[in-house]
Amino acid sequence: MTDKRNRMTTAAGVPVGDNQNSLTAGPRGPVLMQDYQLMEKMAHFNRERVPERVVHAKGAGAYGTFKVTGDISRYTRAKIFSKVGKTCEIFVRFSTVAGELGSADTARDPRGFAVKFYTEEGNWDMVGNNTPVFFVRDPLKFSDFIHSQKRDPRTGMRDNTMQWDFWSLSPESLHQVTTLFSDRGIPATLRHMNGYSSHTYSLWNEAGERYWVKWHFKTMQGIKCLTSDEATRIAGEDLDHHRRDLFTAIEKGEFPKWRAMVQIMPEKDAETYAINPFDLTKVWPHKDYPLIEVGVMELNRNPENYFAEVEQAAFEPGNLPPGMGASPDKMLQARLLSYPDAHRYRIGVNYAALPVNKPRCPVHHYHRDGQTRFDGNFGRAPNYQPNSFGGPVEDARYKEPPLKISGDADRYDHRAGNDDYTQAGNLYRLMNADQKAQLIGNLVDALKPVPREIQVRQIHHFYQADPAYGEGVARGLGIDINRVKAA
Ligand code: NDP
């Protein structure tokens, strides 16, 4: 006997009499077409998967709270930062980049670090990574870069030669390559790594003054990492090691926390600062722009359903409430399009109305219809603007201050005169002896299967960042450094 609460039904709500035996003509079959329930089950099952993300496919997510601890209201009019002590619900999704949905969590790969802040003036999505820089600075190279990290078109296998061929021909990748192969290249857990906006964004205040900003999320659990050997062993034991760790910690009440910090640059400084502040392959040294604490983020609630909440979570760098803005960073500009574009393809044009993505504040616009319009589609409200029937209208108080831009439209060589070596060298030089040894060991292992010519080309980059760095990798690969210098 069932009562209404647990009585099984079809999707149309019709009670199901038998969920164990198909409807057949006689006990041996065949099955009858009129077994609607069987047809519905099979058809729905065939459609259970949405396309996986081209990048950042494998992820883990959780809800939490953000609490403002530092006053930055002089830089931004964003309501979330209007006073110390304010809190806001968040949803975070961490991910690897290159691996597919079923891949190992402990791969050497950057980690996506995406935070959705459900603020009272709309969602703010901080779609970052656990590294402060990236491999490329021009979005025209992004798909080439990702192809080189994914599978060989002939064999369907990951291939070190493709990876190093691209990197060695793209010196702007050196800083991120150094980060990736360092001891921090594989976090021990998702709780023990930092997050960075990587991109420069902007903040603007009530007076219409703009500041450039980089966001940092420093783990309060401390940095912990895996060696390559540990990561390989764990991958053989538990593909979902990081996902499991995060879920289990939250279930046990061990809520991970991060300190949110900013580096702030007045708008005018960008014109004279020695480093292009919009170059995604560069950090702003802390001595020039010190970190300022602004808040603490805590993860304290696991999703109830992985697909609904983690797989359908859709982050977009363009979700910026008033008081926040983008920047001229070319990579950010391209991501402003590519993220929502990917969501429309992957989970449909109404993705923003899915429960995990839905803003916690009222939403009023004129988008209508489209696939899977699962809410009331704004009912009888007018679907055009201007209108005479009380439809939503814009409010000039929310206009971003104008940004002065100039220059001739051209395809500027982003490599010409760009220093790809100093900051990569700085990173190498701040490592202790053990970290340097790990970095060089990791690089030597990854470069071993690669043709000599590519090895030499890549060592040339390491050498220019720091001679000891290049010499170490050359030694590990049995290459005479003079051959590298001659090249
Ligand atoms: P600082 O000495 O002020 O900062 C060094 C930074 O490096 C710290 O944020 C530290 O993070 C981080 N770090 C330490 N060890 C590693 C490692 N093995 N892998 C990755 N990051 C590490 O110097 P600068 O600001 O002048 O930066 C020097 C170099 O540090 C940069 O070229 C860059 O490669 C790296 N870096 C700089 C960041 C920045 O925003 N300025 C951010 C992250 C890295 P923590 O404090 O958490 O230990």
Side-chain angles (χ1 to χ4, degrees):
M1 282 290 282
T2 57
D3 65 28
K4 274 191 179 159
R5 276 166 308 167
N6 68 353
R7 181 175 302 146
M8 187 177 171
T9 69
T10 64
V14 177
V16 168
D18 186 346
N19 190 40
Q20 313 306 322
N21 307 292
S22 302
L23 185 65
T24 52
R28 294 185 174 192
V31 167
L32 299 186
M33 276 291 285
Q34 72 193 62
D35 189 345
Y36 176 81
Q37 192 202 346
L38 172 65
M39 302 305 150
E40 183 180 84
K41 272 179 95 167
M42 290 197 306
H44 193 276
F45 182 68
N46 282 346
R47 291 162 179 79
E48 277 182 4
R49 296 286 167 272
V50 295
E52 69 173 43
R53 296 164 170 88
V54 180
V55 283
H56 296 278
K58 174 87 187 279
Y63 295 92
T65 338
F66 177 71
K67 184 170 185 184
V68 177
T69 57
D71 181 11
I72 53 166
S73 58
R74 64 189 176 283
Y75 302 119
T76 177
R77 52 137 300 162
K79 279 238 171 102
I80 180 181
F81 290 112
S82 60
K83 69 172 192 286
V84 170
K86 266 193 104 157
T87 60
C88 159
E89 188 190 1
I90 56 170
F91 181 78
V92 172
R93 183 176 181 271
F94 302 117
S95 50
T96 48
V97 178
E100 294 86 1
L101 260 177
S103 59
D105 281 348
T106 56
R108 184 172 296 284
D109 207 6
R111 299 297 186 279
F113 194 109
V115 190
K116 190 180 285 295
F117 299 78
Y118 302 97
T119 88
E120 65 209 87
E121 284 184 332
N123 289 350
W124 166 35
D125 291 355
M126 213 292 306
V127 201
N129 276 335
N130 71 335
T131 59
V133 292
F134 196 63
F135 299 93
V136 294
R137 66 166 73 90
D138 190 311
L140 206 51
K141 300 320 298 168
F142 181 76
S143 56
D144 293 313
F145 161 64
I146 294 296
H147 284 170
S148 76
Q149 307 300 304
K150 290 265 192 180
R151 293 175 185 277
D152 179 281
R154 178 176 179 217
T155 65
M157 292 188 269
R158 298 280 292 274
D159 185 89
N160 291 38
T161 295
M162 290 167 63
Q163 298 179 351
W164 287 105
D165 193 25
F166 182 87
W167 283 334
S168 65
L169 292 167
S170 310
E172 68 273 20
S173 64
L174 184 67
H175 195 183
Q176 175 78 322
V177 165
T178 305
T179 308
L180 180 62
F181 285 87
S182 79
D183 58 314
R184 294 200 186 178
I186 312 176
T189 82
L190 300 167
R191 297 177 291 139
H192 293 91
M193 63 182 195
N194 292 337
Y196 304 89
S197 63
S198 312
H199 296 293
T200 296
Y201 286 86
S202 57
L203 297 177
W204 51 277
N205 62 19
E206 291 285 4
E209 295 156 338
R210 179 181 281 103
Y211 298 85
W212 304 117
V213 61
K214 278 191 187 282
W215 294 89
H216 300 245
F217 294 81
K218 296 265 196 179
T219 172
M220 291 168 72
Q221 289 65 245
I223 298 269
K224 276 195 199 158
C225 312
L226 297 174
T227 63
S228 292
D229 287 347
E230 287 167 336
T232 306
R233 178 180 53 75
I234 294 170
E237 291 168 355
D238 183 8
L239 289 173
D240 303 322
H241 181 69
H242 284 166
R243 201 185 264 182
R244 194 180 314 281
D245 172 85
L246 182 69
F247 186 87
T248 310
I250 293 173
E251 285 300 284
K252 282 197 296 201
E254 291 169 18
F255 301 144
K257 291 190 180 143
W258 285 261
R259 216 179 287 287
M261 310 182 93
V262 286
Q263 288 178 289
I264 302 266
M265 180 188 289
E267 182 175 358
K268 281 272 172 214
D269 279 23
E271 291 165 21
T272 50
Y273 188 47
I275 299 163
N276 171 6
F278 311 118
D279 178 347
L280 186 55
T281 67
K282 304 280 195 305
V283 296
W284 301 352
H286 294 128
K287 69 171 171 21
D288 295 345
Y289 295 97
L291 292 172
I292 304 167
E293 181 177 328
V294 298
V296 170
M297 143 181 143
E298 175 188 274
L299 297 183
N300 48 31
R301 180 162 67 88
N302 277 317
E304 283 301 309
N305 184 279
Y306 184 85
F307 180 85
E309 292 155 277
V310 186
E311 193 60 14
Q312 294 199 120
F315 298 87
E316 42 192 308
N319 280 349
L320 296 160
M324 300 181 167
S327 82
D329 178 339
K330 297 173 193 177
M331 290 289 291
L332 173 58
Q333 290 285 326
R335 288 178 79 208
L336 296 176
L337 166 73
S338 69
Y339 276 65
D341 188 46
H343 305 323
R344 290 179 191 113
Y345 161 67
R346 208 172 67 82
I347 46 174
V349 68
N350 289 308
Y351 67 92
L354 288 163
V356 67
N357 302 322
K358 199 176 156 72
R360 304 308 191 236
C361 64
V363 172
H364 303 290
H365 54 69
Y366 292 92
H367 308 314
R368 294 292 187 274
D369 311 348
Q371 257 185 358
T372 320
R373 185 81 234 189
F374 48 82
D375 57 10
N377 199 22
F378 293 95
R380 63 173 65 180
N383 62 354
Y384 60 92
Q385 207 272 333
N387 63 70
S388 314
F389 305 104
V393 289
E394 71 266 27
D395 183 338
R397 286 175 303 165
Y398 295 98
K399 267 179 75 177
E400 194 170 334
L403 174 67
K404 195 173 175 57
I405 48 175
S406 62
D408 298 337
D410 202 353
R411 294 182 181 273
Y412 295 92
D413 181 353
H414 67 84
R415 296 199 177 107
N418 215 318
D419 173 6
D420 294 317
Y421 299 114
T422 302
Q423 290 202 349
N426 289 345
L427 179 55
Y428 175 78
R429 286 181 285 275
L430 69 74
M431 295 180 190
N432 63 30
D434 175 53
Q435 289 171 319
K436 284 180 180 158
Q438 278 197 53
L439 168 70
I440 288 173
N442 293 334
L443 287 166
V444 168
D445 286 345
L447 275 158
K448 261 186 200 142
V450 169
R452 236 327 99 114
E453 174 201 341
I454 297 177
Q455 292 175 338
V456 169
R457 192 161 64 209
Q458 183 62 40
I459 295 169
H460 197 254
H461 297 311
F462 298 140
Y463 186 84
Q464 289 183 80
D466 192 292
Y469 185 10
E471 282 158 10
V473 180
R475 202 173 312 117
L477 289 169
I479 294 175
D480 181 353
I481 196 68
N482 290 315
R483 183 176 163 189
V484 175
K485 286 197 229 168

